[in-house]
Amino acid sequence: MKMDDIARLAGVSKASVSRVLNNKPNISDALRKKVEAVLKTYDYQPNLMAQALNTNQTKLIGVLLPAIGLDIFSDIVHGISDILREQGYELILADSKGDIEQARKYLEIFRSKQVDGIIYFPTLLSPDHIDYINQIKIPTIILGQCHNGLKKSSVAFSDIEASKEIVNYFHSLGCEKIIHIAMPKNHAIGELREHGYREAMKDLKLDPRVIYVSDLSYDSGYAICQKIIEADAIFVAMDRLAIGALRYLIENNRKDILIAGIDNMEVSSMISPSLTSIDFDYYQGGQSSGQMVLELIRGHDVVSKQLSYQLIERESTRRQHV
Amino acid sequence: MKMDDIARLAGVSKASVSRVLNNKPNISDALRKKVEAVLKTYDYQPNLMAQALNTNQTKLIGVLLPAIGLDIFSDIVHGISDILREQGYELILADSKGDIEQARKYLEIFRSKQVDGIIYFPTLLSPDHIDYINQIKIPTIILGQCHNGLKKSSVAFSDIEASKEIVNYFHSLGCEKIIHIAMPKNHAIGELREHGYREAMKDLKLDPRVIYVSDLSYDSGYAICQKIIEADAIFVAMDRLAIGALRYLIENNRKDILIAGIDNMEVSSMISPSLTSIDFDYYQGGQSSGQMVLELIRGHDVVSKQLSYQLIERESTRRQHV
DNA sequence: TTGTACGCGTTATCAG
DNA sequence: CTGATAACGCGTACAA
C-alpha cells in the first residue's frame, strides 16, 4: 500500500496525501477528512526508505559505548533509548571495547550508515583523537567527560568532585593512609578520578599513593591488591575493580582496611560486605544526551552539562567489616 | 559524490560503475580498472538510503531482548553484533523489560523501520503470543528457547539438562532436601529450569519444593530466603537471584546450606563465597542466531539449534562455605 | 561488453 | 487549495 494507492482510493493526488500525512496547513478540511478515512481503513504506513532518500534523514542515532555489558552503560542506553524512541528515532548500538581503533571503525560505520546523530562515550582523549572527533560532520554528543579542546556538546558526570568526596569521607573516618587503585593510564575517566583523588589528598596534606590495574576486570582488582602492604583505606576507581579487591581483602584477612568504589553497581549492595560507592544518575545522563543530540540535529548550539552524584555508605567502610 | 559523478569522471556510464561496485561479471577489465581508480581517488561511498529504496533491504536487524543490562545479554549482543557487522548489517537494539506488551510494541517498531530480520528473546510464550510471533512476516529467530508451536528458527540453551545436572550434583554431595528458587511463573526460561529440577527430583525419588520470587532483582533472591526453614541445598534459577540468596544465608549464619545458580555471571566467581553455577556459551548463542537470521534472509529453511553447557564448581557448594 | 532509460515511494516545487 | 511533475541516488531490464 503506497501513497499512489491511497491517493487513487481517496480520489485525490498523492501530493494531497502527503500534505495530510505531514500536517501541512495548505489543505482543505474536506480533503483532509477524505484522505484520513482512507488512511485509517487501509492502515497505511509510509515507506521510510523512500522518506529517508528524499529528506536525507535516516532517523537513526549511532551510540558508541566502551562496554555495553557494564550496568552503568545499560542504564545509559535505557535513558537514551527512552528519549529517542519518543521522537521516532532508533539507535544503532556499538561497543568500542575501550579501543580507539575500534571506536574509529564504528564511527566510520555510523557515517556510512548515514546516522543523523552520534552519542559517543570515549575512553582516552588524546590530542590526536580530539582532532578526529572535532572533524566529525554529524551532530555528535560526547558523553562521560568534557574537554576544553572538544568542539562538541557534552554530558559529563562529576568524577573529580565525587572522588574528592570519597577521600574526604575516608579522612573523616580517621584514615590517613588512603591508597588509590586507578584504571589503566589510557582511560580518561580513570584520569579524572585519579585527579580528584590527588587533589583531595593534597588538600588534606596526605601522601598520595596510586597503583594502576592492567585492565578493568574483576580479576585485576583482585590481583592488584597483592601490592598493597599498608593502608587504612582504599579508594578504587570503579566498583567492578573494588569487588575484586574486596575479595582479596577477605581472603587475606585484611578486614581492617576500608574500601569504596565508584558507580554503585546493582550488585554492590548485595555482596558481603556491601560496598560503599558513588551513585551517578546514568539513566539521566543517557536521557540528557539523547535530548541534546536531537536538539543538535534541529540546529541548536553546542552546550555542556554536568550531572550530580551521591555517596552511598555501606558496610565496606565500617571498621572491621564482616 | 554520487554514481553519476564517478561515471562522468571515469568516462563511462553509471551502469558500469554499478557493475564494478557490485562485482558483476559482465564488464571488461579495462573499464573495471578505470572505474576503480576513480572510486579510490574520490573515496566514493554509496548512498545506503537509495540502495535501500531500490533493493528493499535496509541491512538492519532488530534485536529484542528482555534486559540488555544483564551480562548474559551483553554476551549475546556481542555475538550477534560480531557476526552481523562482518556481513554489513547493523543491529537495532530494544529492551522488552520482560513485558509482552512492550515486546509487541518493539516488534511493531521493527516492522515500521523495515528491518530485514529479527532476533527475539521472548520471556513468556503464551498460545496467544505464539500466534502473534508465527504471523510475523519478517525472517525471525527465536532465541533462548524452542517451542513446538513455533514456526520459527530457534537457538536454545540446555536449560532443562543443566538444571538436572545441578540437582544431581547436589545429590552426589549427599543432599536430599533440595529446594528450588524459581523465577516468576510467567518466565519461559524459569519454567524450563523448574521443569528440569522437578524431573531430576522425581528420578531421584526426592520431594520437590519450589518457591517463586516476585521479580528478578537481587533483593528478591534475598527476600525469598526468609521462607526457607530447612534445606540441605538450594538450586536458584539464576545467578542474580542466587547472589541475593547467598547474602541472606551469610547474614543469618546458614553456611551449612549449599547453593548454586545458573548463568555464570562474571561476578559470581568474585563474591565470597564464590558461586557454583552453570555456564552457557551466550556469545556463541548470539553468533548462531546472527548467522541463522542471515541465512533465513537468504532463503534458507527454518532450523533449530541447541547449545551445550558446563557446570562450574565453586565455594558455595562446599561444606561450611566461607 | 556497454550504455540508456526507467522504477523504487516519498517530498518539494511550481503552475493552475 | 490542488495537482502534475521533478527530484532523491541507486539497480537493472533492455537495447545497442
Side-chain angles (χ1 to χ4, degrees):
Chain A
M1 184 61 51
K2 47 194 186 186
M3 258 182 59
D4 266 339
D5 303 324
I6 301 294
R8 203 159 20 76
L9 289 161
V12 302
S13 73
K14 59 179 181 172
S16 296
V17 178
S18 175
R19 282 190 256 269
V20 172
L21 285 168
N22 298 297
N23 284 315
K24 302 280 178 170
N26 49 343
I27 184 155
S28 68
D29 272 2
L31 268 201
R32 184 181 295 276
K33 297 280 179 235
K34 250 202 306 199
V35 172
E36 275 170 351
V38 181
L39 249 25
K40 274 262 163 9
T41 321
Y42 293 88
D43 185 34
Y44 167 79
Q45 307 279 118
N47 183 326
L48 295 187
M49 312 189 232
Q51 259 175 351
L53 175 60
N54 209 306
T55 60
N56 216 25
Q57 295 210 341
T58 53
K59 300 284 183 180
L60 254 28
I61 303 291
V63 178
L64 181 52
L65 266 24
I68 55 174
L70 305 189
D71 20 348
I72 70 162
F73 292 113
S74 84
D75 285 347
I76 288 178
V77 170
H78 277 129
I80 296 175
S81 151
D82 286 353
I83 290 291
L84 292 187
R85 289 210 165 89
E86 270 175 19
Q87 323 228 9
Y89 284 77
E90 279 304 308
L91 49 114
I92 290 183
L93 197 62
D95 188 336
S96 70
K97 300 188 171 122
D99 177 59
I100 281 202
E101 289 315 311
Q102 286 271 325
R104 289 198 185 193
K105 196 186 91 193
Y106 283 125
L107 291 171
E108 196 49 42
I109 290 182
F110 286 167
R111 192 179 66 79
S112 79
K113 284 282 170 183
Q114 294 162 273
V115 298
D116 293 343
I118 293 176
I119 296 175
Y120 175 28
F121 196 122
T123 47
L124 177 61
L125 284 183
S126 62
D128 206 44
H129 197 50
I130 289 177
D131 286 347
Y132 182 84
I133 293 173
N134 281 335
Q135 143 273 317
I136 295 175
K137 302 282 193 301
I138 303 168
T140 300
I141 303 286
I142 299 300
L143 187 53
Q145 55 195 295
C146 70
H147 185 290
N148 293 341
L150 229 36
K151 298 192 183 66
K152 302 287 178 189
S153 290
S154 66
V155 176
F157 302 96
S158 307
D159 291 281
I160 296 178
E161 296 77 358
S163 303
K164 284 186 183 175
E165 171 131 356
I166 289 186
V167 174
N168 290 329
Y169 172 64
F170 277 141
H171 188 249
S172 76
L173 260 27
C175 300
E176 304 247 307
K177 296 195 188 92
I178 304 168
I179 294 184
H180 179 45
I181 294 182
M183 298 186 198
K185 295 209 182 182
N186 58 352
H187 277 72
I189 294 183
E191 284 176 8
L192 293 176
R193 294 179 183 177
E194 180 183 341
H195 182 68
Y197 163 80
R198 288 188 187 276
E199 291 256 303
M201 292 296 276
K202 191 159 73 179
D203 292 347
L204 294 170
K205 306 208 186 323
L206 295 177
D207 277 342
R209 166 123 191 263
V210 180
I211 48 184
Y212 300 90
V213 294
S214 52
D215 60 66
L216 302 181
S217 65
Y218 290 103
D219 282 334
S220 281
Y222 178 92
I224 198 75
C225 281
Q226 293 162 358
K227 290 198 184 170
I228 296 177
I229 314 292
E230 218 193 339
D232 296 335
I234 308 176
F235 161 40
V236 191
M238 64 191 292
D239 277 17
R240 202 175 149 82
L241 295 169
I243 290 172
L246 198 46
R247 164 116 193 155
Y248 181 91
L249 296 185
I250 292 167
E251 280 183 8
N252 293 275
N253 245 309
R254 294 305 305 267
K255 300 180 182 172
D256 54 304
I257 301 181
L258 307 191
I259 184 167
I262 291 193
D263 281 343
N264 193 26
M265 286 170 65
E266 232 182 314
V267 76
S268 296
S269 65
M270 264 308 143
I271 58 175
S272 298
S274 54
L275 181 68
T276 291
S277 189
I278 292 282
D279 187 73
F280 289 125
D281 195 342
Y282 288 110
Y283 178 81
Q284 164 73 41
Q287 284 195 311
S288 298
S289 56
Q291 192 55 51
M292 280 167 63
V293 78
L294 292 181
E295 286 169 2
L296 226 49
I297 290 172
R298 288 161 192 156
H300 292 213
D301 280 347
V302 169
V303 292
S304 287
K305 183 165 186 172
Q306 175 154 348
L307 273 58
S308 186
Y309 65 93
Q310 199 186 346
L311 176 68
I312 313 284
E313 302 183 42
R314 298 209 186 89
E315 293 164 358
S316 70
T317 48
R318 294 192 199 139
R319 293 285 164 206
Q320 286 296 331
H321 48 66
V322 183
Chain B
M1 183 62 49
K2 47 194 187 188
M3 257 182 59
D4 267 339
D5 303 324
I6 300 294
R8 204 160 16 76
L9 289 162
V12 301
S13 74
K14 60 178 182 174
S16 297
V17 178
S18 174
R19 283 190 256 269
V20 173
L21 285 168
N22 299 296
N23 285 315
K24 302 278 177 174
N26 49 343
I27 183 156
S28 69
D29 273 0
L31 268 201
R32 184 181 297 275
K33 298 282 179 230
K34 245 196 317 194
V35 172
E36 276 169 352
V38 182
L39 250 24
K40 275 262 165 8
T41 321
Y42 294 88
D43 185 34
Y44 169 78
Q45 307 279 119
N47 182 326
L48 295 187
M49 312 188 233
Q51 260 177 348
L53 176 59
N54 209 311
T55 60
N56 218 25
Q57 295 211 340
T58 53
K59 300 285 183 179
L60 253 29
I61 303 291
V63 178
L64 180 53
L65 265 24
I68 56 175
L70 305 190
D71 22 347
I72 71 164
F73 292 112
S74 84
D75 286 348
I76 287 178
V77 170
H78 277 129
I80 296 175
S81 148
D82 286 352
I83 289 292
L84 292 186
R85 289 211 165 87
E86 270 175 19
Q87 323 229 10
Y89 285 77
E90 279 303 309
L91 51 119
I92 289 183
L93 197 63
D95 187 336
S96 71
K97 300 187 170 126
D99 176 60
I100 281 202
E101 290 314 311
Q102 285 271 326
R104 290 199 183 191
K105 194 186 92 192
Y106 283 125
L107 291 171
E108 196 49 43
I109 289 182
F110 287 167
R111 192 179 68 77
S112 78
K113 285 282 171 183
Q114 293 162 274
V115 298
D116 293 344
I118 293 175
I119 296 175
Y120 176 28
F121 197 121
T123 48
L124 176 62
L125 283 183
S126 63
D128 205 46
H129 197 50
I130 290 177
D131 285 348
Y132 181 83
I133 294 173
N134 281 335
Q135 143 273 319
I136 295 175
K137 302 281 193 301
I138 303 168
T140 300
I141 303 286
I142 299 300
L143 187 52
Q145 55 195 296
C146 70
H147 186 288
N148 293 341
L150 228 36
K151 298 192 182 66
K152 302 287 177 189
S153 289
S154 66
V155 176
F157 302 95
S158 306
D159 291 282
I160 296 178
E161 296 77 359
S163 302
K164 284 186 184 176
E165 172 132 354
I166 289 187
V167 174
N168 290 328
Y169 172 65
F170 277 141
H171 189 249
S172 76
L173 259 30
C175 301
E176 305 246 307
K177 294 195 189 94
I178 305 168
I179 293 183
H180 179 46
I181 294 182
M183 297 187 199
K185 295 207 181 184
N186 58 352
H187 277 72
I189 294 184
E191 284 176 9
L192 293 176
R193 294 180 183 176
E194 180 183 340
H195 182 69
Y197 163 80
R198 289 187 186 276
E199 291 256 302
M201 291 297 276
K202 189 159 74 180
D203 291 348
L204 293 171
K205 305 205 189 323
L206 296 176
D207 278 342
R209 166 123 190 263
V210 179
I211 48 183
Y212 299 91
V213 295
S214 52
D215 60 66
L216 301 181
S217 66
Y218 289 103
D219 282 334
S220 282
Y222 178 91
I224 197 76
C225 282
Q226 293 163 357
K227 291 198 184 168
I228 295 177
I229 315 292
E230 219 193 338
D232 296 335
I234 308 176
F235 160 40
V236 191
M238 64 191 292
D239 276 17
R240 200 175 151 83
L241 295 170
I243 289 172
L246 198 46
R247 164 116 194 155
Y248 181 90
L249 296 185
I250 292 167
E251 281 184 8
N252 294 274
N253 245 309
R254 295 302 307 267
K255 299 180 182 174
D256 55 303
I257 301 181
L258 307 191
I259 183 167
I262 291 194
D263 282 343
N264 193 26
M265 285 170 64
E266 232 181 315
V267 75
S268 297
S269 66
M270 262 311 142
I271 57 176
S272 297
S274 54
L275 181 68
T276 292
S277 189
I278 291 283
D279 187 73
F280 289 125
D281 195 342
Y282 288 110
Y283 179 80
Q284 164 73 41
Q287 284 196 311
S288 297
S289 55
Q291 192 55 51
M292 281 167 63
V293 78
L294 292 182
E295 286 169 1
L296 227 49
I297 289 171
R298 286 161 192 155
H300 291 213
D301 281 347
V302 168
V303 293
S304 287
K305 183 163 186 173
Q306 176 155 348
L307 272 58
S308 187
Y309 65 91
Q310 200 186 344
L311 176 68
I312 313 284
E313 302 182 42
R314 297 210 185 90
E315 294 164 358
S316 69
T317 49
R318 293 191 200 139
R319 293 284 163 207
Q320 286 294 331
H321 47 65
V322 181

